[in-house]
Amino acid sequence: MTKITPQPGIMDIALYQGGQSHVAGVKHVIKLSSNENPFGPSPKAIEAVRDSAATLNRYPSTDHASLRDAIGTRHGLNPARIICGVGSDEVLQFVAQAYAGPGDEVIYTEHGFSMYPIIARMVGATPLMVAEKNRHVDVDNILAAVTDQTRIVFVTNPGNPTSTMIPEAELVRLAEALPQTCLMVVDGAYAEFVADFDGGAALVDRFENVVMTRTFSKIYGLGGMRVGWGYAAQSIIDVLNRVRQPFNLSLTALAAAEAAIRDEDYLTFCHSENARLRVWLSEELAKVGVPSDASCTNFILVRFEDQAEAEACDDYLKTKGLIVRRVAGYNLLNALRITVGDEEACRRVVAAITAFKGGVA
Ligand SMILES: *Cc1c(COP(=O)(O)O)cnc(C)c1O
């Protein structure tokens, strides 16, 4: 018998469940379960991917200077204080790896992203879940849970799967009240869907213990390419770069992300289509008795009478080729998360849920 055993905490990790993309026996499904951009990546990113193929014999850049410059230009940030990762998930992992370990606590919130406890356990730290209030992050609950062992607090703004935002003043209050030995990570995966929002960059500039993470997986439509980034104080970026593998991002991924972030017209198009369609979708569903909080993201979290009705609706949508996300695992028992698709997808969702609720579709 083998005596080989994994490090403490590893076997406590519940494997991440991705959004479903197939339904047995149903053709032409529309996947609305992973908050992907329904319009695809920028045509310029596709072109950059093609062009990169000819030089795949070469190793990629190790410092990502060109992509960091493009990100810096787009957001008015100092590129030296940006780090790029294989999705923002990898940046979150760098933070945990560098700043937390056995005996340390990592706080995340009740409806927070399921990667946070996974990442905490990966590094042997103890994840601690804090209750939210009516699907909103509650700063007092977080502060009450902080101990001398707390090293990281993860918050998502706007939240997934809640779609709600934490008011700026509340984030400032949290950053101010946290001990200087504790990092606050503001995950801005959906920041681009909010108009005139910096995703937390100003907080990073104001507080040395705040880290902002961002991704190319959502509005930029590059989930399949795996690129994300983080912005933090120089001292923190210098630490994170030490746990980053030098060739973590492929030549193709770097080229795609850079082309995507330089294509501002496409970004504007995706932002405005999403804003228009999510309002229409949530208003139409509210009319048939399926309410949702005002969304700040590219999905809505619709609520049903109870868990049984939410599950019955999910099953019904599947028969219509519409795949949405159950969120019972996020302690949202009576809800479903629906990505805002293109216009046709939104119309199909409204028709199907109207029919499910007994109306005329
Ligand atoms: C989608 C998402 C991310 C992005 O993950 P990537 O690794 O960049 O694809 C991060 N945080 C939250 C809350 C998300 O929903």
Side-chain angles (χ1 to χ4, degrees):
M1 280 296 278
T2 178
K3 290 269 187 335
I4 299 171
T5 51
Q7 290 291 306
I10 303 285
M11 293 312 289
D12 298 329
I13 293 174
L15 292 181
Y16 180 80
Q17 302 293 323
Q20 201 184 335
S21 51
H22 303 283
V23 185
V26 183
K27 275 187 204 150
H28 310 301
V29 296
I30 298 183
K31 185 184 174 199
L32 302 170
S33 56
S34 294
N35 301 338
E36 294 151 335
N37 184 330
F39 307 109
S42 151
K44 291 183 176 153
I46 295 172
E47 196 181 312
V49 167
R50 277 205 202 96
D51 290 349
S52 77
T55 53
L56 284 175
N57 54 319
R58 303 295 177 195
Y59 273 90
S61 146
T62 59
D63 64 8
H64 310 150
S66 189
L67 174 58
R68 288 186 296 104
D69 275 349
I71 295 169
T73 302
R74 171 86 185 73
H75 293 284
L77 304 175
N78 177 359
R81 291 171 51 197
I82 292 170
I83 184 169
C84 301
V86 178
S88 51
D89 285 356
E90 194 187 35
V91 180
L92 298 171
Q93 192 179 339
F94 295 154
V95 174
Q97 209 178 333
Y99 291 101
D104 295 334
E105 290 169 358
V106 171
I107 291 178
Y108 67 106
T109 64
E110 184 180 1
H111 313 303
F113 190 38
S114 61
M115 281 306 295
Y116 306 145
I118 291 179
I119 286 169
R121 289 195 168 99
M122 275 182 194
V123 302
T126 305
L128 208 89
M129 192 192 81
V130 166
E132 296 195 18
K133 235 179 223 157
N134 295 323
R135 301 173 301 281
H136 287 75
V137 168
D138 187 278
V139 166
D140 290 317
N141 286 350
I142 293 175
L143 290 174
V146 171
T147 70
D148 290 345
Q149 279 70 51
T150 311
R151 292 289 163 267
I152 305 171
V153 172
F154 285 114
V155 290
T156 322
N157 197 34
N160 170 26
T162 57
S163 83
T164 62
M165 282 194 81
I166 311 167
E168 175 84 6
E170 284 296 280
L171 279 177
V172 168
R173 190 160 76 84
L174 178 58
E176 271 172 350
L178 284 176
Q180 283 304 299
T181 49
C182 179
L183 281 175
M184 168 170 133
V185 177
V186 185
D187 180 340
Y190 300 93
E192 289 85 356
F193 295 105
V194 185
D196 303 318
F197 179 52
D198 72 356
L203 283 174
V204 173
D205 291 339
R206 185 165 159 196
F207 299 98
E208 238 190 294
N209 59 333
V210 177
V211 177
M212 170 179 78
T213 60
R214 304 286 287 266
T215 185
F216 283 90
S217 300
K218 303 289 156 55
I219 204 164
Y220 290 106
L222 288 172
M225 198 49 89
R226 313 302 306 129
V227 189
W229 55 281
Y231 176 65
Q234 193 67 61
S235 55
I236 291 177
I237 294 297
D238 290 346
V239 169
L240 301 184
N241 266 316
R242 285 171 163 73
V243 297
R244 178 179 69 78
Q245 294 208 24
F247 302 112
N248 60 329
L249 287 177
S250 73
L251 202 84
T252 307
L254 288 165
E258 186 176 335
I261 204 157
R262 291 192 189 282
D263 191 351
E264 283 199 39
D265 290 345
Y266 191 71
L267 182 75
T268 304
F269 164 77
C270 295
H271 176 95
S272 64
E273 275 299 273
N274 177 73
R276 176 177 78 86
L277 290 166
R278 83 180 164 200
V279 168
W280 183 80
L281 181 63
S282 63
E283 286 179 356
E284 292 302 307
L285 294 179
K287 284 182 200 164
V288 296
V290 181
S292 52
D293 295 318
S295 168
C296 301
T297 61
N298 65 337
F299 58 85
I300 62 171
L301 183 76
V302 293
R303 302 193 302 276
F304 294 87
E305 298 299 325
D306 51 29
Q307 184 170 7
E309 192 190 27
E311 289 179 358
C313 184
D314 181 45
D315 290 340
Y316 180 77
L317 290 174
K318 279 205 188 77
T319 68
K320 299 288 170 195
L322 296 164
I323 304 180
V324 302
R325 187 73 157 250
R326 288 193 187 192
V327 285
Y330 286 92
N331 212 14
L332 292 159
L333 303 182
N334 66 338
L336 294 174
R337 191 191 72 187
I338 306 175
T339 303
V340 177
D342 61 11
E343 185 157 342
E344 189 218 327
C346 290
R347 288 189 183 282
R348 277 178 61 178
V349 168
V350 168
I353 295 183
T354 302
F356 171 78
K357 288 297 264 187
V360 188

